[in-house]
Amino acid sequence: MFSRADVPAISQPTIRICGLSKSYYSIEVLKDINLDVVPGEVVVIIGPSGAGKSTILSCVNHLEPYEQGEIWVDGQLYGPTHARGRRRARAEAELNQLRRKIGIVFQAYNLFPHLTVLENVTLAPIKVLKKPRADAVREGKEQLARVGLSQKADKYPAELSGGQQQRVAIARALAMQPKVMLFDEVTSALDPELVGEVLAVLKQLSNDGMTMMIVTHEMQFAREVADRIYFMDEGRIVESGTAQEIFDNPKQERTRAFLRRTRSL
């Protein structure tokens, strides 16, 4: 059984972000971001809306290009390469190979409405990983059991609650057997009574040793699940530390002000 204490103190990072900067036109939205995620670690990014939290995840999965810096995933440079002093964008086919190591779940569920739950989960393993259908179905059922939806395999997305649809999206990402999972505000579109069921799945993944980067506004959840927390504001990492350090003894006034405000809501 995996324990959070098993996370190695020193390990080659599953994700390494070095000097990442990104702009939209003249607006710099990420400013010299440096961040590591080691195997089995849960890193949670918090901060006000517009701080750049979700943009980091999009850059990690190369859904967004970036002007400066490097992103390494599982020891591979994951983004533009350098040749003769110039940055060279990777071909889309090459990026897709690298993306297989990363599972990402967004606010929107993005399930195919004409496919059953199980078909949604098995589509990518069959089409992308070229798995035999029988193997993909068996593993898909395992992932649905993992998120508590074994009984919904033959249902269609429209027959599920929002929380159930989000759990299907998580199972679909897990079916690709990624090295790391990225979660971008996965509860923000849910009714309050459905938030807990999705957060429970993320807590179980944490207990199972899944390497994760999570962007969330759920402060109590962040406190409970994070090995490290990064607080961002205006495109910069203002402060980082353990959950206890950030929530109980933040060093920066901007962090303290943010946490005071979230506690008053």
Side-chain angles (χ1 to χ4, degrees), residues 104-113 120 157-158 160-173 184-192 194-195 197-198:
I104 187 165
V105 182
F106 299 98
Q107 300 174 27
Y109 324 126
N110 295 322
L111 302 178
F112 292 106
N120 267 280
L160 306 181
S161 70
Q164 290 169 337
Q165 290 187 57
Q166 192 61 286
R167 284 188 279 157
V168 174
I170 293 170
R172 178 178 59 184
D184 186 11
E185 296 285 10
V186 292
T187 61
S188 65
L190 299 178
D191 292 335
L194 300 177
V195 169
E197 66 186 58
V198 175

Side-chain angles (χ1 to χ4, degrees), residues 106-234:
F106 299 98
Q107 300 174 27
Y109 324 126
N110 295 322
L111 302 178
F112 292 106
H114 62 291
L115 300 180
T116 67
V117 163
L118 183 58
E119 287 168 342
N120 267 280
V121 172
T122 59
L123 181 64
I126 292 171
K127 296 294 186 181
V128 178
L129 300 184
K130 307 301 182 184
K131 284 191 175 183
R133 183 174 297 274
D135 291 345
V137 167
R138 184 187 69 254
E139 293 170 10
K141 289 180 177 179
E142 291 174 358
Q143 296 303 342
L144 286 174
R146 193 175 185 183
V147 300
L149 292 175
S150 294
Q151 304 305 313
K152 302 294 185 180
D154 296 325
K155 299 293 185 181
Y156 287 88
E159 300 177 85
L160 306 181
S161 70
Q164 290 169 337
Q165 290 187 57
Q166 192 61 286
R167 284 188 279 157
V168 174
I170 293 170
R172 178 178 59 184
L174 291 171
M176 293 294 287
Q177 300 179 334
K179 291 278 188 179
V180 60
M181 287 286 291
L182 312 180
F183 295 95
D184 186 11
E185 296 285 10
V186 292
T187 61
S188 65
L190 299 178
D191 292 335
E193 65 267 24
L194 300 177
V195 169
E197 66 186 58
V198 175
L199 295 183
V201 170
L202 269 62
K203 288 178 183 178
Q204 186 57 56
L205 292 178
S206 168
N207 292 335
D208 291 344
M210 173 62 69
T211 307
M212 297 190 284
M213 287 182 70
I214 302 172
V215 169
T216 185
H217 285 297
E218 300 284 345
M219 292 300 104
Q220 184 57 40
F221 169 71
R223 177 189 281 270
E224 293 173 3
V225 78
D227 294 303
R228 277 189 299 157
I229 291 179
Y230 288 81
F231 171 67
M232 288 187 66
D233 188 39
E234 296 183 347

Side-chain angles (χ1 to χ4, degrees), residues 55-77:
T55 304
I56 289 179
L57 299 191
S58 293
C59 288
V60 169
N61 205 40
H62 213 73
L63 297 173
E64 292 278 1
Y66 46 92
E67 289 73 42
Q68 295 181 20
E70 294 181 342
I71 298 176
W72 297 75
V73 178
D74 197 32
Q76 286 184 279
L77 183 62

